[in-house]
Amino acid sequence: SDVIKLNTNECPYPPSPLVTEMIEKMDTERFRLYPDPEASLLVNELAEYYNVKPEQVFVGVGSDDVLGMAFLTCFKINPLDFNKENGGIIFPNPNAPTAIEMPLEQVEEVIKNNPDVVVIVDEAYVDFGGHTALSLIDKYDNLLVVRTFSKSRAMAGMRIGYAFGSKELIDAIKAVKFSYNSYTMNQATIETGVAAIKDDTYFKNIVSKIIETRENAKKELKKLGFSFTDSKTNFIFATHERMPAKEIFEKLKKKNIFVRYFNKPGIDNYLRITVGTDEEMKKLYRALQEILQK
Ligand SMILES: *Cc1c(COP(=O)(O)O)cnc(C)c1O
């Protein structure tokens, strides 16, 4: 319980009280039946909230599952494809782990210039200040926008991911999914997902709180000698002017504060720090101060 966990970009706040309420009043008698494989309750709730048609929505058990399905559907490996320019495009926006947002005009440019392949934009972090490509799904039938409940909706443990795209594209992914539908979303997850979408006030409150903490973290980390990209996510990708990232990572770990370190060329002097609560962040700044003074 005394561990500060800032290494996997989870939300530091609990889910909406409506989710707790839903769990408490859940009709468990229904658990003896198989869940609705289409998760229609949740699909319809998402469609209404995001103002798209239910036929333009796909849901999966976390966005890892959504992405896995999209790969099975759209990215069959054909050796001849390697002779051409590409067989499909996928990128996160805002980006992970750099936290940088690509402007929507540039995203549209990529989609427009690749009409013959599917372009997947992974918007896991878009709620923290990014601009969504959602409005482009009516304009481009090769676009798939993938989202998750794991970060901004504080429900990583429930495993909910979803995607928006043209009806044609969503139908294709559903056909693949339903050809071996062993991993349906369970009933409790479907219903708590709906409850989370319904509590828009709570969602907006925790997101704006995280953004506020993030902007403050930029000031505090700067004072400590860090520089970083202009984060539009719930994490900060930072490098220190003097001490190597690996050393800071290990010293923080000794103090029970976990951040993410990637031992990869190009980013091996950076730390990915999830934005926690104000209290957790204060402990982080204090720990960093001690580490950097020595
Ligand atoms: C966290 C994250 C996800 C979410 O994965 P889930 O399976 O929905 O928990 C997707 N893409 C990126 C880039 C992420 O960082």
Side-chain angles (χ1 to χ4, degrees):
S1 59
D2 56 349
V3 164
I4 297 182
K5 198 173 171 299
L6 305 175
N7 59 343
T8 49
N9 295 347
E10 290 140 327
C11 183
Y13 303 109
S16 152
L18 283 193
V19 171
T20 315
E21 209 179 286
M22 175 56 73
I23 291 272
E24 280 165 3
K25 70 169 196 214
M26 206 165 262
D27 176 12
T28 52
E29 200 273 333
R30 229 183 2 212
F31 288 0
R32 83 197 158 74
L33 301 175
Y34 282 111
D36 167 18
E38 303 229 21
S40 311
L41 268 181
L42 183 58
V43 166
N44 291 337
E45 191 71 29
L46 286 166
E48 193 187 320
Y49 182 86
Y50 287 105
N51 201 22
V52 298
K53 301 189 193 87
E55 306 91 83
Q56 293 174 303
V57 183
F58 177 79
V59 296
V61 184
S63 56
D64 279 2
D65 180 36
V66 174
L67 293 169
M69 285 296 153
F71 271 78
L72 282 179
T73 311
C74 316
F75 293 81
K76 237 181 260 154
I77 292 175
N78 175 353
L80 290 178
D81 287 347
F82 295 101
N83 299 340
K84 290 188 283 177
E85 278 192 351
N86 67 70
I89 294 170
I90 173 164
F91 58 90
N93 195 43
N95 199 282
T98 66
I100 301 166
E101 180 186 27
M102 186 197 280
L104 198 53
E105 304 82 72
Q106 284 178 31
V107 174
E108 183 165 2
E109 207 58 25
V110 174
I111 303 162
K112 206 193 301 182
N113 290 335
N114 289 277
D116 299 330
V117 297
V118 170
V119 177
I120 298 179
V121 184
D122 180 350
E123 294 191 340
Y125 298 104
V126 77
D127 293 324
F128 300 106
H131 294 80
T132 178
L134 177 55
S135 64
L136 300 178
I137 64 167
D138 287 320
K139 204 165 158 191
Y140 301 96
D141 60 9
N142 62 326
L143 169 64
L144 191 71
V145 175
V146 177
R147 301 271 192 86
T148 180
F149 277 47
S150 296
K151 315 286 161 57
S152 58
R153 291 189 186 274
M155 285 173 75
M158 293 305 276
R159 313 304 301 127
I160 307 178
Y162 56 105
F164 301 116
S166 63
K167 180 179 185 303
E168 189 193 4
L169 195 49
I170 296 296
D171 278 348
I173 305 174
K174 280 187 193 165
V176 171
K177 167 116 181 151
F178 297 145
S179 68
Y180 70 105
N181 206 6
S182 338
Y183 307 106
T184 57
M185 187 178 284
N186 70 61
Q187 188 64 27
T189 300
I190 293 171
E191 291 183 31
T192 50
V194 169
I197 293 288
K198 284 198 191 298
D199 201 348
D200 202 38
T201 309
Y202 183 83
F203 165 65
K204 287 184 172 140
N205 274 346
I206 60 172
V207 165
S208 59
K209 183 65 206 152
I210 289 165
I211 292 172
E212 189 189 309
T213 308
R214 177 188 73 202
E215 293 310 307
N216 188 52
K218 289 178 181 173
K219 288 183 203 141
E220 294 295 331
L221 291 172
K222 196 168 173 203
K223 276 191 254 168
L224 289 162
F226 285 94
S227 57
F228 34 80
T229 57
D230 181 25
S231 171
K232 290 281 159 47
T233 63
N234 68 337
F235 60 88
I236 293 178
F237 196 55
T239 186
H240 193 257
E241 59 191 7
R242 182 169 43 81
M243 193 178 284
K246 192 163 192 282
E247 191 178 334
I248 302 174
F249 163 72
E250 275 155 8
K251 287 181 170 163
L252 280 174
K253 201 155 91 175
K254 285 211 183 89
K255 291 177 181 287
N256 260 346
I257 299 177
F258 292 82
V259 298
R260 188 77 190 265
Y261 172 68
F262 301 92
N263 203 353
K264 297 235 172 85
I267 56 171
D268 59 359
N269 200 22
Y270 280 82
L271 297 172
R272 194 194 66 186
I273 306 167
T274 303
V275 176
T277 61
D278 285 331
E279 199 188 328
E280 288 172 325
M281 297 307 277
K282 265 184 208 135
K283 287 183 186 159
L284 170 75
Y285 309 142
R286 220 171 298 139
L288 284 171
Q289 216 162 18
E290 286 170 24
I291 289 167
L292 295 163
Q293 259 163 18
K294 281 179 199 155

